[in-house]
Amino acid sequence: MSRHFLSIFDLSREEFTALLNRASELKSAKKSGKEHRTLAGKSIALLFEKLSTRTRVSFEVGVNDLGGDALYMNTSDMQLGRGETIEDTAKILSSYLDGVIIRTFEQERIDIFAAHASVPVINALTDLEHPTQIVSDLFTVAEKGIDVQNFKLAYIGDGNNIVNSLIGAAGVLGFNLSAAVPEGYEPDQGIIKRAIDLGGEIEIVNDPFQAASGSDVLYTDVWVSMGQEEESSKRNELFKPYQINSELLEAANNGAYVMHCLPAHRGEEITQEALEGPSSIVFEQAENKLHAGKAILEMFMRT
Ligand code: CP
Ligand code: NVA
């Protein structure tokens, strides 16, 4: 049976830590030009139903760096886009490929694909989760010398896929997470419960300053995720108090870092000063998607 990476909860604490260590090794290898062709001969497809810049390019380059072949497939170019079933697509693609990386809408779509695939499947973002992003983000936090099992992260904004996977990670690793979201835009209740059951200290509040207080990292994401474009004007109004700016940064611990998975909307969820200022580790976060992505590929696609 193939092992899939569909949710952040698919990792144990030991595996999560092993990924962070391996990402660091792979980053050093890349920087020093040392070859690391651990996926030589493997063909891995990226099956994307939503747009992507970072995840697509970092996984394509990552597969190539590891000696494999990457194929990018936009589902609108496939029979899947005109009604062929996910089940049939999964079975057939499994007979050509050694692994599939999927970006889609409902979590159910990737779950169905994985249930009918005989090769490993990696979640590259669904409406519910973005687990590969969060592994990369925790690698970035660890690189700053922060103990990922013992720090406080404040998430400010929409209760979306990013914060869902951050909450899962807080459960798996054991760090503290406080999310400030407007009423009615809470993260997934099932994920919160599961993370708390694992021992995570999770707090959901409405006041961004309450969340930011005592935090080592301030994290935000777009107010309007892919697929929510019709809600743009309502959300852009409602989320205004949920911005990372210098005032909010003042409420965090001295030396706190600013994070954003990107793409950013300057002047909405984050100010230009916060994004480009000395506390920001946003662009390191983006680069690290390559190194952490390769650690994930090795863990799930090498079998
Ligand atoms: N952070 C992230 O997943 O970016 P892309 O949508 O560009 O892949
Ligand atoms: N929450 C955003 C993340 C983009 C990387 C979205 O789903 O569009």
Side-chain angles (χ1 to χ4, degrees), residues 1-6 11 15 19 37-48 59-60 62-64 66-71 93-94 96-103 110 113-114 117-124 132 292-303:
M1 270 256 301
S2 297
R3 172 134 190 251
H4 307 298
F5 186 34
L6 305 179
L11 297 174
E15 287 171 328
L19 282 177
R37 296 170 55 83
T38 48
L39 291 187
K42 303 261 189 204
S43 294
I44 294 168
L46 287 85
L47 192 69
F48 277 34
F59 270 125
E60 284 199 47
V63 170
N64 293 336
L66 296 176
D69 291 309
L71 295 81
L93 290 185
S94 295
Y96 306 140
L97 296 163
D98 300 293
V100 185
I101 302 168
I102 296 181
R103 172 169 283 204
I110 197 169
F113 190 103
S118 53
V119 296
V121 176
I122 291 176
N123 179 351
T132 63
K294 282 155 71 172
I296 293 167
L297 286 166
E298 281 190 344
M299 182 175 278
F300 288 91
M301 300 285 183
R302 196 140 62 154
T303 46

Side-chain angles (χ1 to χ4, degrees), residues 245-259:
N245 51 35
S246 44
E247 212 187 336
L248 196 66
L249 198 48
E250 279 287 305
N253 283 347
N254 261 344
Y257 293 105
V258 169
M259 299 183 77

Side-chain angles (χ1 to χ4, degrees), residues 29-214:
K30 174 92 177 172
K31 302 274 177 201
S32 62
K34 203 168 128 209
E35 283 212 343
H36 39 278
R37 296 170 55 83
T38 48
L39 291 187
K42 303 261 189 204
S43 294
I44 294 168
L46 287 85
L47 192 69
F48 277 34
E49 296 196 293
K50 288 176 176 170
L51 301 179
S52 171
T53 298
R54 283 147 287 269
T55 310
R56 172 184 175 177
V57 177
S58 60
F59 270 125
E60 284 199 47
V61 172
V63 170
N64 293 336
D65 280 358
L66 296 176
D69 291 309
L71 295 81
Y72 176 77
M73 300 186 303
N74 184 314
T75 49
S76 59
D77 297 332
M78 297 172 62
Q79 299 290 5
L80 184 64
R82 54 186 288 273
E84 186 168 18
T85 67
I86 299 175
E87 291 86 335
D88 287 356
T89 307
K91 274 188 225 161
I92 291 145
L93 290 185
S94 295
S95 67
Y96 306 140
L97 296 163
D98 300 293
V100 185
I101 302 168
I102 296 181
R103 172 169 283 204
T104 187
F105 293 87
E106 297 85 3
Q107 183 75 19
E108 197 193 3
R109 291 179 71 76
I110 197 169
D111 290 344
I112 295 172
F113 190 103
H116 292 86
S118 53
V119 296
V121 176
I122 291 176
N123 179 351
L125 183 145
T126 61
D127 293 345
L128 188 68
E129 281 211 50
H130 196 0
T132 63
Q133 175 73 44
I134 295 332
V135 171
S136 169
D137 295 343
L138 269 301
F139 169 51
T140 310
V141 170
E143 273 193 318
K144 294 293 158 197
I146 293 174
D147 176 358
V148 294
Q149 300 186 26
N150 185 25
F151 77 109
K152 179 178 172 185
L153 184 145
Y155 175 89
I156 313 296
D158 184 26
N160 62 16
N161 43 12
I162 290 290
V163 72
N164 284 338
S165 291
L166 281 170
I167 289 170
V172 174
L173 290 171
F175 63 86
N176 291 6
L177 185 147
S178 183
V181 300
E183 212 180 321
Y185 292 84
E186 289 79 13
D188 184 81
Q189 288 304 321
I191 288 181
I192 296 171
K193 184 177 180 316
R194 213 168 151 189
I196 291 172
D197 288 347
L198 280 171
E201 284 189 45
I202 316 293
E203 177 189 57
I204 312 294
V205 298
N206 299 130
D207 179 3
F209 288 89
Q210 191 182 336
S213 167

